[in-house]
PDB file of all heavy atoms in Angstrom:
ATOM      1  N   ARG A 243      13.037 -24.887 -12.299  1.00 82.00           N
ATOM      2  CA  ARG A 243      13.791 -23.631 -12.317  1.00 82.00           C
ATOM      3  C   ARG A 243      12.851 -22.427 -12.428  1.00 82.00           C
ATOM      4  O   ARG A 243      13.023 -21.430 -11.728  1.00 82.00           O
ATOM      5  CB  ARG A 243      14.770 -23.630 -13.483  1.00 82.00           C
ATOM      6  CG  ARG A 243      15.678 -22.404 -13.539  1.00 82.00           C
ATOM      7  CD  ARG A 243      16.562 -22.470 -14.779  1.00 82.00           C
ATOM      8  NE  ARG A 243      17.308 -23.720 -14.842  1.00 82.00           N
ATOM      9  CZ  ARG A 243      18.046 -24.082 -15.885  1.00 82.00           C
ATOM     10  NH1 ARG A 243      18.104 -23.294 -16.953  1.00 82.00           N
ATOM     11  NH2 ARG A 243      18.698 -25.221 -15.882  1.00 82.00           N
ATOM     12  N   GLY A 244      11.837 -22.522 -13.295  1.00 83.00           N
ATOM     13  CA  GLY A 244      10.901 -21.421 -13.451  1.00 83.00           C
ATOM     14  C   GLY A 244      10.078 -21.176 -12.204  1.00 83.00           C
ATOM     15  O   GLY A 244       9.818 -20.029 -11.822  1.00 83.00           O
ATOM     16  N   VAL A 245       9.667 -22.253 -11.527  1.00 87.00           N
ATOM     17  CA  VAL A 245       8.893 -22.115 -10.303  1.00 87.00           C
ATOM     18  C   VAL A 245       9.728 -21.440  -9.217  1.00 87.00           C
ATOM     19  O   VAL A 245       9.249 -20.556  -8.489  1.00 87.00           O
ATOM     20  CB  VAL A 245       8.384 -23.488  -9.827  1.00 87.00           C
ATOM     21  CG1 VAL A 245       7.689 -23.363  -8.486  1.00 87.00           C
ATOM     22  CG2 VAL A 245       7.438 -24.084 -10.862  1.00 87.00           C
ATOM     23  N   VAL A 246      10.987 -21.833  -9.105  1.00 90.00           N
ATOM     24  CA  VAL A 246      11.876 -21.248  -8.089  1.00 90.00           C
ATOM     25  C   VAL A 246      12.105 -19.764  -8.365  1.00 90.00           C
ATOM     26  O   VAL A 246      12.038 -18.922  -7.457  1.00 90.00           O
ATOM     27  CB  VAL A 246      13.216 -22.011  -8.043  1.00 90.00           C
ATOM     28  CG1 VAL A 246      14.213 -21.286  -7.152  1.00 90.00           C
ATOM     29  CG2 VAL A 246      12.990 -23.428  -7.553  1.00 90.00           C
ATOM     30  N   VAL A 247      12.355 -19.414  -9.623  1.00 91.00           N
ATOM     31  CA  VAL A 247      12.590 -18.016  -9.985  1.00 91.00           C
ATOM     32  C   VAL A 247      11.341 -17.182  -9.692  1.00 91.00           C
ATOM     33  O   VAL A 247      11.434 -16.073  -9.139  1.00 91.00           O
ATOM     34  CB  VAL A 247      12.986 -17.905 -11.464  1.00 91.00           C
ATOM     35  CG1 VAL A 247      13.003 -16.447 -11.916  1.00 91.00           C
ATOM     36  CG2 VAL A 247      14.349 -18.529 -11.698  1.00 91.00           C
ATOM     37  N   ALA A 248      10.166 -17.688 -10.056  1.00 91.00           N
ATOM     38  CA  ALA A 248       8.932 -16.953  -9.815  1.00 91.00           C
ATOM     39  C   ALA A 248       8.667 -16.796  -8.320  1.00 91.00           C
ATOM     40  O   ALA A 248       8.189 -15.743  -7.875  1.00 91.00           O
ATOM     41  CB  ALA A 248       7.763 -17.668 -10.484  1.00 91.00           C
ATOM     42  N   THR A 249       8.965 -17.809  -7.547  1.00 91.00           N
ATOM     43  CA  THR A 249       8.764 -17.728  -6.098  1.00 91.00           C
ATOM     44  C   THR A 249       9.687 -16.695  -5.464  1.00 91.00           C
ATOM     45  O   THR A 249       9.274 -15.913  -4.596  1.00 91.00           O
ATOM     46  CB  THR A 249       8.995 -19.106  -5.448  1.00 91.00           C
ATOM     47  OG1 THR A 249       8.118 -20.059  -6.061  1.00 91.00           O
ATOM     48  CG2 THR A 249       8.711 -19.051  -3.961  1.00 91.00           C
ATOM     49  N   ILE A 250      10.949 -16.680  -5.895  1.00 91.00           N
ATOM     50  CA  ILE A 250      11.897 -15.683  -5.383  1.00 91.00           C
ATOM     51  C   ILE A 250      11.449 -14.270  -5.770  1.00 91.00           C
ATOM     52  O   ILE A 250      11.517 -13.330  -4.966  1.00 91.00           O
ATOM     53  CB  ILE A 250      13.309 -15.980  -5.909  1.00 91.00           C
ATOM     54  CG1 ILE A 250      13.818 -17.299  -5.328  1.00 91.00           C
ATOM     55  CG2 ILE A 250      14.265 -14.844  -5.565  1.00 91.00           C
ATOM     56  CD1 ILE A 250      15.153 -17.737  -5.901  1.00 91.00           C
ATOM     57  N   ALA A 251      10.970 -14.117  -7.002  1.00 93.00           N
ATOM     58  CA  ALA A 251      10.485 -12.812  -7.444  1.00 93.00           C
ATOM     59  C   ALA A 251       9.272 -12.370  -6.629  1.00 93.00           C
ATOM     60  O   ALA A 251       9.145 -11.190  -6.272  1.00 93.00           O
ATOM     61  CB  ALA A 251      10.134 -12.864  -8.926  1.00 93.00           C
ATOM     62  N   ALA A 252       8.378 -13.309  -6.316  1.00 93.00           N
ATOM     63  CA  ALA A 252       7.191 -12.973  -5.515  1.00 93.00           C
ATOM     64  C   ALA A 252       7.591 -12.531  -4.115  1.00 93.00           C
ATOM     65  O   ALA A 252       7.052 -11.551  -3.573  1.00 93.00           O
ATOM     66  CB  ALA A 252       6.261 -14.181  -5.448  1.00 93.00           C
ATOM     67  N   ALA A 253       8.528 -13.246  -3.502  1.00 93.00           N
ATOM     68  CA  ALA A 253       8.998 -12.856  -2.169  1.00 93.00           C
ATOM     69  C   ALA A 253       9.662 -11.486  -2.206  1.00 93.00           C
ATOM     70  O   ALA A 253       9.490 -10.669  -1.279  1.00 93.00           O
ATOM     71  CB  ALA A 253       9.968 -13.910  -1.636  1.00 93.00           C
ATOM     72  N   THR A 254      10.390 -11.189  -3.273  1.00 93.00           N
ATOM     73  CA  THR A 254      11.040  -9.887  -3.414  1.00 93.00           C
ATOM     74  C   THR A 254      10.010  -8.767  -3.511  1.00 93.00           C
ATOM     75  O   THR A 254      10.154  -7.712  -2.882  1.00 93.00           O
ATOM     76  CB  THR A 254      11.948  -9.877  -4.655  1.00 93.00           C
ATOM     77  OG1 THR A 254      12.907 -10.939  -4.550  1.00 93.00           O
ATOM     78  CG2 THR A 254      12.665  -8.551  -4.791  1.00 93.00           C
ATOM     79  N   VAL A 255       8.970  -8.996  -4.290  1.00 91.00           N
ATOM     80  CA  VAL A 255       7.898  -7.996  -4.425  1.00 91.00           C
ATOM     81  C   VAL A 255       7.245  -7.713  -3.075  1.00 91.00           C
ATOM     82  O   VAL A 255       7.030  -6.554  -2.692  1.00 91.00           O
ATOM     83  CB  VAL A 255       6.851  -8.476  -5.444  1.00 91.00           C
ATOM     84  CG1 VAL A 255       5.603  -7.593  -5.395  1.00 91.00           C
ATOM     85  CG2 VAL A 255       7.427  -8.473  -6.844  1.00 91.00           C
ATOM     86  N   LEU A 256       6.947  -8.763  -2.336  1.00 89.00           N
ATOM     87  CA  LEU A 256       6.284  -8.597  -1.044  1.00 89.00           C
ATOM     88  C   LEU A 256       7.183  -7.864  -0.051  1.00 89.00           C
ATOM     89  O   LEU A 256       6.740  -6.939   0.645  1.00 89.00           O
ATOM     90  CB  LEU A 256       5.881  -9.957  -0.490  1.00 89.00           C
ATOM     91  CG  LEU A 256       5.080  -9.954   0.816  1.00 89.00           C
ATOM     92  CD1 LEU A 256       3.783  -9.200   0.651  1.00 89.00           C
ATOM     93  CD2 LEU A 256       4.809 -11.385   1.266  1.00 89.00           C
ATOM     94  N   VAL A 257       8.446  -8.261   0.029  1.00 88.00           N
ATOM     95  CA  VAL A 257       9.369  -7.634   0.980  1.00 88.00           C
ATOM     96  C   VAL A 257       9.596  -6.169   0.631  1.00 88.00           C
ATOM     97  O   VAL A 257       9.606  -5.291   1.514  1.00 88.00           O
ATOM     98  CB  VAL A 257      10.708  -8.408   1.006  1.00 88.00           C
ATOM     99  CG1 VAL A 257      11.754  -7.631   1.791  1.00 88.00           C
ATOM    100  CG2 VAL A 257      10.504  -9.788   1.620  1.00 88.00           C
ATOM    101  N   MET A 258       9.747  -5.867  -0.657  1.00 87.00           N
ATOM    102  CA  MET A 258       9.975  -4.482  -1.061  1.00 87.00           C
ATOM    103  C   MET A 258       8.770  -3.604  -0.762  1.00 87.00           C
ATOM    104  O   MET A 258       8.911  -2.480  -0.264  1.00 87.00           O
ATOM    105  CB  MET A 258      10.311  -4.431  -2.559  1.00 87.00           C
ATOM    106  CG  MET A 258      11.670  -4.993  -2.911  1.00 87.00           C
ATOM    107  SD  MET A 258      12.022  -4.894  -4.688  1.00 87.00           S
ATOM    108  CE  MET A 258      11.957  -3.123  -4.938  1.00 87.00           C
ATOM    109  N   ALA A 259       7.558  -4.110  -1.040  1.00 83.00           N
ATOM    110  CA  ALA A 259       6.354  -3.309  -0.812  1.00 83.00           C
ATOM    111  C   ALA A 259       6.114  -3.063   0.671  1.00 83.00           C
ATOM    112  O   ALA A 259       5.872  -1.927   1.096  1.00 83.00           O
ATOM    113  CB  ALA A 259       5.148  -4.003  -1.443  1.00 83.00           C
ATOM    114  N   VAL A 260       6.178  -4.107   1.475  1.00 81.00           N
ATOM    115  CA  VAL A 260       5.958  -3.949   2.912  1.00 81.00           C
ATOM    116  C   VAL A 260       7.099  -3.157   3.546  1.00 81.00           C
ATOM    117  O   VAL A 260       6.872  -2.324   4.433  1.00 81.00           O
ATOM    118  CB  VAL A 260       5.795  -5.327   3.582  1.00 81.00           C
ATOM    119  CG1 VAL A 260       5.649  -5.185   5.082  1.00 81.00           C
ATOM    120  CG2 VAL A 260       4.585  -6.054   3.004  1.00 81.00           C
ATOM    121  N   GLY A 261       8.329  -3.390   3.088  1.00 81.00           N
ATOM    122  CA  GLY A 261       9.458  -2.627   3.608  1.00 81.00           C
ATOM    123  C   GLY A 261       9.326  -1.145   3.310  1.00 81.00           C
ATOM    124  O   GLY A 261       9.635  -0.299   4.172  1.00 81.00           O
ATOM    125  N   PHE A 262       8.846  -0.808   2.116  1.00 77.00           N
ATOM    126  CA  PHE A 262       8.620   0.593   1.775  1.00 77.00           C
ATOM    127  C   PHE A 262       7.573   1.203   2.697  1.00 77.00           C
ATOM    128  O   PHE A 262       7.713   2.349   3.158  1.00 77.00           O
ATOM    129  CB  PHE A 262       8.164   0.703   0.319  1.00 77.00           C
ATOM    130  CG  PHE A 262       7.766   2.086  -0.096  1.00 77.00           C
ATOM    131  CD1 PHE A 262       8.732   3.026  -0.415  1.00 77.00           C
ATOM    132  CD2 PHE A 262       6.427   2.448  -0.159  1.00 77.00           C
ATOM    133  CE1 PHE A 262       8.359   4.312  -0.796  1.00 77.00           C
ATOM    134  CE2 PHE A 262       6.056   3.732  -0.537  1.00 77.00           C
ATOM    135  CZ  PHE A 262       7.026   4.664  -0.865  1.00 77.00           C
ATOM    136  N   ALA A 263       6.501   0.443   2.992  1.00 73.00           N
ATOM    137  CA  ALA A 263       5.457   0.955   3.875  1.00 73.00           C
ATOM    138  C   ALA A 263       5.984   1.174   5.293  1.00 73.00           C
ATOM    139  O   ALA A 263       5.608   2.136   5.964  1.00 73.00           O
ATOM    140  CB  ALA A 263       4.274  -0.005   3.894  1.00 73.00           C
ATOM    141  N   VAL A 264       6.859   0.289   5.751  1.00 74.00           N
ATOM    142  CA  VAL A 264       7.425   0.439   7.093  1.00 74.00           C
ATOM    143  C   VAL A 264       8.324   1.661   7.161  1.00 74.00           C
ATOM    144  O   VAL A 264       8.275   2.441   8.128  1.00 74.00           O
ATOM    145  CB  VAL A 264       8.203  -0.836   7.487  1.00 74.00           C
ATOM    146  CG1 VAL A 264       8.970  -0.619   8.788  1.00 74.00           C
ATOM    147  CG2 VAL A 264       7.243  -2.008   7.636  1.00 74.00           C
ATOM    148  N   LEU A 265       9.156   1.870   6.133  1.00 72.00           N
ATOM    149  CA  LEU A 265      10.060   3.012   6.129  1.00 72.00           C
ATOM    150  C   LEU A 265       9.314   4.336   6.020  1.00 72.00           C
ATOM    151  O   LEU A 265       9.736   5.344   6.598  1.00 72.00           O
ATOM    152  CB  LEU A 265      11.059   2.877   4.972  1.00 72.00           C
ATOM    153  CG  LEU A 265      12.074   1.727   5.079  1.00 72.00           C
ATOM    154  CD1 LEU A 265      12.922   1.648   3.816  1.00 72.00           C
ATOM    155  CD2 LEU A 265      12.956   1.911   6.303  1.00 72.00           C
ATOM    156  N   MET A 266       8.205   4.311   5.276  1.00 65.00           N
ATOM    157  CA  MET A 266       7.439   5.548   5.062  1.00 65.00           C
ATOM    158  C   MET A 266       6.220   5.621   5.972  1.00 65.00           C
ATOM    159  O   MET A 266       5.242   6.293   5.655  1.00 65.00           O
ATOM    160  CB  MET A 266       6.998   5.618   3.594  1.00 65.00           C
ATOM    161  CG  MET A 266       8.135   5.582   2.594  1.00 65.00           C
ATOM    162  SD  MET A 266       9.216   7.030   2.704  1.00 65.00           S
ATOM    163  CE  MET A 266       8.095   8.299   2.125  1.00 65.00           C
TER     164      MET A 266
END
Side-chain angles (χ1 to χ4, degrees):
R243 184 183 306 173
V245 175
V246 171
V247 170
T249 303
I250 294 174
T254 303
V255 169
L256 184 60
V257 170
M258 289 181 61
V260 177
F262 174 79
V264 172
L265 293 176
M266 302 295 292

